[in-house]
Amino acid sequence: MLTFEQKQTIIESFSELTKKEISLKRLNYHLMDSLYEKTIVVEKLHPNGNGFVFVGDLLSYEEEANDKGLVNIRDYNEQQLREIIEDSIQYLSEEEEQEPIEEIWQSREGVQLKLAFEQRSWNVYHGENLEEAFGTHDAAKEYLLEEGFRKKK
């Protein structure tokens, strides 16, 4: 396991990150040029070596990431730490170019909701109003099915 100081040195080798001290001697590292509201790449790096890196919904980290899109880096080696930070920076720096995806879902009562993929999230709309947002299509689909909606063909 890398020490706090070793992790700090590796993280600070990424010139695009800005260090911000937070409580309990912990550090956050922000990507100020993030294209998204989320700017924290490394979160709560603690002197005991614990900390998290934001990976959002990147599929290569889906087994490790918690529901907030954070991966614990406590036991990461140098190569793993560099790779995950590079992936996070890339994730927050690139706009996803994808054809818009929209689906119409309908209840038995005839109420229609629109499920749309926008800026890396699946959003459920009732008319123009955002009802819910999900990180994956499966999570959105599960929600709609539980609420009694079926995909309109």
Side-chain angles (χ1 to χ4, degrees):
M1 181 176 89
L2 298 170
T3 67
F4 172 74
E5 292 77 15
Q6 290 169 321
K7 286 179 183 170
Q8 196 173 359
T9 301
I10 293 166
I11 296 164
E12 290 177 7
S13 72
F14 291 89
S15 61
E16 55 267 74
L17 298 180
T18 303
K19 177 172 72 172
K20 295 198 178 186
E21 295 181 15
I22 58 174
S23 62
L24 305 172
K25 299 181 182 180
R26 296 175 300 170
L27 303 171
N28 282 348
Y29 289 86
H30 293 255
L31 178 66
M32 302 313 282
D33 294 332
S34 173
L35 295 179
Y36 304 93
E37 188 174 324
K38 178 74 173 175
T39 64
I40 300 175
V41 171
V42 180
E43 189 169 309
K44 299 176 185 157
L45 182 64
H46 191 278
N48 70 8
N50 205 23
F52 301 89
V53 172
F54 177 74
V55 294
D57 58 1
L58 287 174
L59 293 177
S60 55
Y61 297 99
E62 70 182 338
E63 296 294 319
E64 297 175 79
N66 66 18
D67 59 347
K68 295 180 182 178
L70 298 169
V71 172
N72 189 313
I73 57 167
R74 179 178 183 83
D75 298 323
Y76 269 42
N77 64 35
E78 180 176 356
Q79 180 182 349
Q80 291 170 314
L81 183 56
R82 286 189 184 283
E83 286 176 9
I84 196 170
I85 292 171
E86 287 169 2
D87 290 344
S88 179
I89 290 170
Q90 183 176 0
Y91 181 82
L92 293 171
S93 299
E94 294 181 354
E95 286 193 55
E96 224 178 71
E97 292 186 27
Q98 184 173 349
E99 292 293 318
I101 298 172
E102 290 186 1
E103 301 172 356
I104 302 298
W105 289 66
Q106 187 169 320
S107 70
R108 287 186 179 147
E109 295 80 27
V111 175
Q112 290 189 355
L113 298 178
K114 179 174 73 172
L115 176 60
F117 184 73
E118 303 167 322
Q119 295 184 349
R120 298 190 170 139
S121 68
W122 289 91
N123 299 322
V124 177
Y125 291 95
H126 182 256
E128 296 298 316
N129 297 322
L130 177 65
E131 294 293 322
E132 294 284 341
F134 300 91
T136 66
H137 183 264
D138 286 343
K141 181 179 170 183
E142 182 178 331
Y143 166 78
L144 288 165
L145 290 171
E146 286 176 3
E147 294 297 316
F149 287 84
R150 301 292 178 257
K151 187 174 174 181
K152 197 171 175 184
K153 296 181 182 184

